[in-house]
Amino acid sequence: MPVDAHAFNQAFTRARDRVRGGTADLAAEQARLRALIPADASQHERTWTSSLIDDLAAPPPPPPVRSELYKQAERIHAEVYPPKGTTEEKIALLEDGRRRIWALADLETPDAEYDIRALTYDLKYLEDALRNPPFPLTDEPFPTSDA
């Protein structure tokens, strides 16, 4: 019987959160995860599940150290999201925010500029959705089935 990857990954995530949160015993969580692996699991399944179970003991990586430019970009993102106003005003606000964030990224070191540019992805997605809605935007309520 194969490992139920979805169930195992969910159990692993919950176990990791409990261990890192200090609310669970590492050895007990590892034993609980090992119990989810069927006796007839393939060698491949045993390898990847064991790797995850062993990694449960590893401390979490330290949070990234962000530059002042990144922090400025975060503040710009917070200014423009969620956008307010008419559709045109929202588009202009998002467009301006993305432009300002990209300008900061241009000033950043090459290894850190991508992190700043990544702050614009959700802004671009929302801007595109406002320009070309995936469904009609109206102020009317949804029609009923008897309409």
Side-chain angles (χ1 to χ4, degrees):
M1 169 179 225
V3 171
D4 181 341
H6 179 69
F8 181 85
N9 285 332
Q10 282 187 321
F12 171 79
T13 300
R14 287 191 301 271
R16 184 194 61 210
D17 292 346
R18 286 190 297 266
V19 168
R20 288 185 180 174
T23 61
D25 175 64
L26 172 64
E29 293 296 333
Q30 287 177 319
R32 195 172 295 128
L33 291 171
R34 284 188 183 94
L36 296 176
I37 303 167
D40 60 347
S42 71
Q43 185 58 43
H44 171 72
E45 291 172 326
R46 289 185 183 286
T47 300
W48 71 264
T49 55
S50 293
S51 176
L52 284 175
I53 292 168
D54 293 343
D55 286 349
L56 196 58
V65 177
R66 300 297 189 183
S67 70
E68 184 54 39
L69 289 172
Y70 185 92
K71 292 173 187 173
Q72 287 177 27
E74 283 184 314
R75 287 191 289 273
I76 292 169
H77 188 283
E79 285 174 25
V80 303
Y81 188 87
K84 295 173 181 53
T86 65
T87 300
E88 292 77 23
E89 291 168 338
K90 289 176 184 178
I91 289 170
L93 189 63
L94 293 166
E95 195 172 47
D96 180 61
R98 286 189 314 104
R99 181 194 52 75
R100 291 168 49 206
I101 291 171
W102 273 72
L104 289 174
D106 289 342
L107 302 173
E108 187 57 273
T109 61
D111 59 330
E113 69 179 296
Y114 175 79
D115 291 337
I116 293 177
R117 292 189 204 291
L119 292 172
T120 67
Y121 295 164
D122 61 334
L123 304 180
K124 176 67 171 149
Y125 179 79
L126 182 54
E127 183 184 329
D128 290 345
L130 288 168
R131 288 182 191 280
N132 199 1
F135 49 86
L137 297 176
T138 68
D139 292 330
E140 302 298 318
F142 291 110
T144 61
S145 59
D146 60 340

